[in-house]
Structures are given as structure tokens and as C-alpha cells.
Amino acid sequence: MKKIFSLLVAAMFLFMSAGNVYASDFASEVLRLVNEERAKVGVAPLRLANDLQAATAVRAREIANKFSHTRPDGSDCFTVMKNRGRTCGENIAAGYDSAEATVEQWMNSEGHRKNILNPAFRELGVGYFYAEGSQFGHYWVQIFRG
């Protein structure tokens, strides 16, 4: 029984890791595109933070069910973070199937653009979730921390 449990845990880890590689590729691309936009206006680049990556993975799944800055339990979106830091922000998007299209949409929105170019932010988490059969299919989250 213990051996079967160990095999199941290993299989779950491999399955989850495979999905995370895809999301990780998207995170790297979003980070690159965001830092290009920040460089254009002389703002220091962001770096990915592991804890924010975990938080955005949760939020991306949540917004597939309730597209809002409020979490499904009614709490503030930032409650997903263990360490808020001095300042934080969240961008969400849905329906775009590429990092490029999503960042372009954010840059064409005043509030989202303000978060991306905010010089107080130093760290970023990027979450992506695909929900087949859902209203928008593709769900994206950025959480910024200063």
C-alpha cells in the first residue's frame, strides 16, 4: 500500500510539473515583455519571485471560475500572498492565447499599464491557466510587489 501511494504521489508530481513547464514558459515570456516596456520608460526590470509564482497559479485558477479581483471566498485578491511587501498590484486578463497578446492588452489599458510601469514594483509573479469549455479559455494573472 505504501509503495502504491508513493507511485501515485510521483505520478501526480510529474503530471503537475508538465503543466507548470507550460505556465513557466509563459511567465518567462511575460516577464521579458514587461521588462521591455519598463526599459522604454527607464524603469528598473522586475524579477520573478517564487512565492508570487505560486500565488498567481492559484489566482489564475480562481479567475477561471470568477473573473474578478475579489477571490471566490469574497476576500481581497492579495490574501493569496503570504508576504505582501510594502506595495502590491494585480492585473488579470482572459481570452488571449499568447503572452504577447495579453501584455499588449494590458499595455493598452490605463490601470494595467500603470501597474506594469510602476517603479515601486520590484518583483512579479505570472500565472496562466487554460480552462477548456470555459467562457474565455485562457486566464492570466500578474501580481506585482514592491
Side-chain angles (χ1 to χ4, degrees):
M1 185 68 154
K2 192 174 184 179
K3 190 173 186 175
I4 292 172
F5 178 75
S6 296
L7 288 172
L8 284 173
V9 169
M12 285 176 42
F13 177 77
L14 287 172
F15 175 76
M16 290 173 66
S17 295
N20 287 340
V21 169
Y22 189 57
S24 176
D25 290 346
F26 277 145
S28 296
E29 183 62 6
V30 168
L31 176 68
R32 184 186 70 75
L33 293 166
V34 163
N35 282 336
E36 281 182 6
E37 295 296 336
R38 289 171 68 90
K40 289 176 188 176
V41 296
V43 178
L46 299 170
R47 69 171 188 84
L48 289 179
N50 289 335
D51 64 319
L52 295 182
Q53 286 296 101
T56 57
V58 170
R59 288 290 296 136
R61 288 180 180 272
E62 288 179 352
I63 67 169
N65 294 315
K66 180 184 179 191
F67 191 74
S68 172
H69 291 289
T70 302
R71 298 185 70 194
D73 67 3
S75 65
D76 178 275
C77 63
F78 301 117
T79 61
V80 74
M81 301 166 59
K82 292 186 185 340
N83 176 13
R84 287 191 186 200
R86 293 183 309 271
T87 181
C88 51
E90 181 185 68
N91 286 348
I92 61 176
Y96 301 95
D97 65 354
S98 71
E100 294 83 4
T102 303
V103 172
E104 180 179 348
Q105 179 269 330
W106 281 328
M107 290 303 293
N108 289 325
S109 163
E110 184 179 341
H112 295 109
R113 179 183 179 89
K114 187 175 180 181
N115 275 341
I116 288 171
L117 301 179
N118 188 333
F121 294 142
R122 299 284 181 234
E123 297 176 303
L124 178 66
V126 178
Y128 170 80
F129 181 67
Y130 178 72
E132 187 173 344
S134 67
Q135 183 177 2
F136 299 109
H138 305 272
Y139 297 87
W140 300 81
V141 177
Q142 290 179 307
I143 294 181
F144 302 87
R145 180 171 57 207

